[in-house]
Amino acid sequence: MSKDSPVDPRGPRFSAWITTAILAVVLLTGSWRLLAAQTVLFGLCAFISLKLNPWGHVYRFAVQPRLTPTSEREEAAPLRFAQGVGFVFALVGTIGYATGLTALGVVATSAALVAALLNAALGLCLGCEMFLLLRRYAPVLARPQ
Amino acid sequence: MTGVWAVLGAVAVVAAVGVLLRFHGGRVRVTAKPREDLPGPVRDLLDPATPVTLLQISTTFCAPCRHTRVLLSDLADRTDGLRHVELDVTNLPEVAAGLGVLRTPTTLALDASGAELLRVGGVPKRDTLIAALRPHLPRPIG
């Protein structure tokens, strides 16, 4: 696994808004294909590199030049961990929708939506906050990378 | 239709969390308990010559830990008798469990003997923390 360099913290907030919109559309349409695409995106960011996040590139080229530069940087490790948490929820949701277990799809997608919106609107990274809890009760999931 | 309710429900949950964080985040809890059972890695960080040690519990996967580090180290630099140390518990879950810490950052104020004076979950609010520490320090906080 490659190590990402620290990022401008406003980039992930921007991405989180887009993720929020995608997950809301999934809930409204029940499209498992869209959710599957989001799952792949979460997986790419979590397991390969944050550089594969297309919204990060949109942010860098379209949004960042319009903002006042900041020297603030955020470590990549918490972000990738959070993407991994999103991956698990989105995967469960995709399986739910695709197999006709719509209730499972709705519940898992709603949980992912809450996490994405918390990140976008409040800057709260749920996956990061839960790291110690996960570590305590599900050590396999939260092994350090 | 279920989807619409799910979206509205998610928004409501986030709004509720936002309100809770507003009031509870960074709040100082006065714990005031003597500690005979401090985990080893914590005991090693204590300094008997300093009245109050701010022990910040962090993990690698913690974004607000960095803000907390900046705030606390600045506060410690300006204040006599106060120091700031950070302990990364990513690979020390038993230390976090031993201290009863479930989220990061959590900041514990320990006196020279290792007794816990207070703790703060989340990024501390500077003014609230200064007010809570004042009785334990030899000189006013600058």
Side-chain angles (χ1 to χ4, degrees), chain A residues 17-43:
Chain A
W17 277 117
I18 297 181
T19 308
T20 301
I22 292 174
L23 293 172
V25 171
V26 169
L27 280 172
L28 296 177
T29 60
S31 159
W32 71 267
R33 287 179 181 82
L34 182 59
L35 188 54
Q38 180 60 50
T39 309
V40 170
L41 198 53
F42 275 140

Side-chain angles (χ1 to χ4, degrees), chain B residues 87-135:
Chain B
L87 182 64
D88 188 322
V89 295
T90 310
N91 293 312
L92 302 168
E94 67 286 352
V95 171
L99 292 171
V101 169
L102 289 180
R103 64 180 289 209
T104 53
T106 293
T107 305
L108 280 65
L110 304 172
D111 75 4
S113 72
E116 185 178 321
L117 305 168
L118 53 89
R119 61 169 65 190
V120 187
V123 180
K125 293 193 175 88
R126 196 184 169 96
D127 297 339
T128 328
L129 181 61
I130 288 177
L133 287 174
R134 196 164 284 137

Side-chain angles (χ1 to χ4, degrees), chain A:
Chain A
M1 186 181 304
S2 68
K3 191 163 161 40
D4 286 324
S5 45
V7 298
D8 179 343
R10 295 169 300 184
R13 291 285 286 272
F14 175 78
S15 300
W17 277 117
I18 297 181
T19 308
T20 301
I22 292 174
L23 293 172
V25 171
V26 169
L27 280 172
L28 296 177
T29 60
S31 159
W32 71 267
R33 287 179 181 82
L34 182 59
L35 188 54
Q38 180 60 50
T39 309
V40 170
L41 198 53
F42 275 140
L44 290 174
C45 292
F47 305 122
I48 303 176
S49 171
L50 288 176
K51 292 195 187 71
L52 296 172
N53 175 15
W55 316 130
H57 293 284
V58 173
Y59 172 78
R60 255 189 309 287
F61 290 109
V63 184
Q64 199 175 32
R66 293 163 208 271
L67 301 175
T68 347
T70 173
S71 58
E72 206 173 306
R73 286 292 175 269
E74 187 166 342
E75 287 299 322
L79 298 173
R80 289 180 63 160
F81 179 74
Q83 296 281 310
V85 175
F87 173 79
V88 172
F89 278 111
L91 185 64
V92 172
T94 306
I95 293 170
Y97 277 119
T99 58
L101 293 168
T102 314
L104 179 66
V106 170
V107 170
T109 311
S110 303
L113 176 62
V114 167
L117 189 55
L118 278 174
N119 194 354
L122 305 174
L124 175 77
C125 169
L126 195 62
C128 314
E129 295 273 334
M130 282 167 47
F131 176 75
L132 279 181
L133 277 173
L134 284 176
R135 184 76 209 251
R136 194 153 160 193
Y137 296 109
V140 183
L141 285 176
R143 66 177 183 278
Q145 293 165 355

Side-chain angles (χ1 to χ4, degrees), chain B residues 3 23 73 107 115 119 132 136:
Chain B
F23 290 107
S73 60
T107 305
R119 61 169 65 190
H136 304 288

